[in-house]
Amino acid sequence: MTSEDDSAPQGNAAYHRLLDELRAGRLGPGDRLRETDLAERLGMSRTPVREAIRQLEADGIVSHVPRQGASIRTLEYAEVMDLYEMRAVLEGTAARLAARAASDIEIEELIDMNRALETQRGTPEAFPLNRQFHAALLDAAKNRFLTRSMTSLQRAMMILGPTTLTNPERAELAVKEHFAVLDAVQARDGARAEAAMRAHIEAAQRVRVRTLRARPLYDGDLM
C-alpha cells in the first residue's frame, strides 16, 4: 500500500510530466484527463496522478466538466489576449529592471544563451533554450514578487500549447528581438529594454492569433 509520504514525490513527478506534455502539445485544450489512462502512460498508480490533476486544477489549467470529469481548460479568445497583455507588462518590467540590476556576467550569459538559440533555431533543442533565456532575464531583474507573478502566468500560458517558435520565421525573428532587448540592457537603458521586450511579446502574440484563427475551436470567438 502506498503511504502519503511515498505518494507525494510521485505526485510531484506526475505533475511535471503533465506540464511537459502540455508544453509539447501532447495535451491540449479540451483533452480529458482520465486517471486510469494517465497512470498507465506515466507508469504510476492512480493516486499520484490524481494529486497531479488536483495541482493542475489549482493552477487554473484543468477544469471539471459535469458528467465528463477533468479536462484541460479551453481559453476564450479574450483570455488569450489578456494573458499576452499581462506577459508584455511583466516581461517588459523584467527587462527594464534587468537593465538596472543585471551584472555584467549575467548579461554576457544572456548573450551566450541567445547565440546558442540562434544556432539551434528550428530544432527541438531551441524550445528549452528559449525558456532558459526568458527565465535568466527574469532572474537578472532580481525581483522576487515579479518572479512569482511570472511563474503563475507561465503556467496559465501552457494551455496554449507549443511555443510560437515552432514557426520558422518566428524563430528567426525572435532571436533578433532578443538581441534588441539585450542591446538595451547592456546599455543600461531601461525604457528601451522594456519597449523592446514588449515588442517581442506582441510579435509572438500576433503569431498566436493567426494560429488560433486557423482552429475551428475559436471561430466563434473571432468573428
Side-chain angles (χ1 to χ4, degrees):
M1 186 171 180
T2 304
S3 71
E4 184 177 346
D5 289 341
D6 291 336
S7 66
Q10 283 197 323
N12 190 52
Y15 170 69
H16 286 286
R17 290 274 298 278
L18 292 177
L19 289 179
D20 287 342
E21 295 208 356
L22 274 167
R23 289 192 191 97
R26 290 189 292 272
L27 283 175
D31 286 351
R32 292 180 62 184
L33 300 179
R34 298 178 178 86
E35 289 180 12
T36 303
D37 294 344
L38 289 174
E40 183 177 351
R41 190 159 88 232
L42 300 179
M44 299 178 177
S45 70
R46 291 177 61 180
T47 299
V49 169
R50 188 177 304 120
E51 291 172 2
I53 292 173
R54 285 174 183 160
Q55 182 58 54
L56 291 171
E57 186 175 8
D59 290 340
I61 294 173
V62 165
S63 60
H64 278 271
V65 179
R67 295 182 297 278
Q68 292 187 18
S71 63
I72 303 298
R73 278 191 63 210
T74 298
L75 295 177
E76 296 179 1
Y77 179 73
E79 291 180 293
V80 176
M81 296 301 100
D82 289 345
L83 280 174
Y84 272 97
E85 183 177 354
M86 284 308 303
R87 186 182 174 196
V89 169
L90 295 176
E91 294 213 48
T93 300
R96 175 169 53 81
L97 295 179
R100 180 190 68 190
S103 68
D104 291 342
I105 292 174
E106 286 174 317
I107 294 172
E108 287 299 325
E109 181 65 19
L110 282 162
I111 292 171
D112 287 345
M113 282 184 185
N114 202 44
R115 285 174 179 155
L117 180 58
E118 185 174 32
T119 301
Q120 296 292 334
R121 72 174 187 268
T123 70
E125 288 74 17
F127 308 147
L129 275 173
N130 183 62
R131 289 197 299 271
Q132 290 165 19
F133 173 86
H134 282 270
L137 185 64
L138 184 61
D139 288 342
K142 298 178 173 62
N143 186 300
R144 287 172 292 179
F145 293 101
L146 181 61
T147 298
R148 290 174 192 168
S149 297
M150 271 305 306
T151 299
S152 176
L153 183 71
Q154 286 164 350
R155 294 266 167 81
M157 292 201 71
M158 286 182 191
I159 303 171
L160 296 174
T163 171
T164 56
L165 296 189
T166 54
N167 179 306
E169 182 181 356
R170 177 69 204 129
E172 182 177 357
L173 289 174
V175 170
K176 294 178 181 178
E177 292 159 9
H178 286 173
F179 278 128
V181 173
L182 294 175
D183 183 63
V185 169
Q186 197 165 33
R188 304 298 179 180
D189 188 336
R192 181 157 60 94
E194 181 171 12
M197 180 56 82
R198 279 178 169 267
H200 172 58
I201 302 304
E202 287 164 4
Q205 181 180 14
R206 288 192 290 273
V207 173
R208 182 71 70 183
V209 167
R210 288 198 297 270
T211 302
L212 293 181
R213 287 185 186 277
R215 287 187 193 173
L217 181 65
Y218 286 90
D219 284 349
D221 294 321
L222 294 169
M223 293 300 289

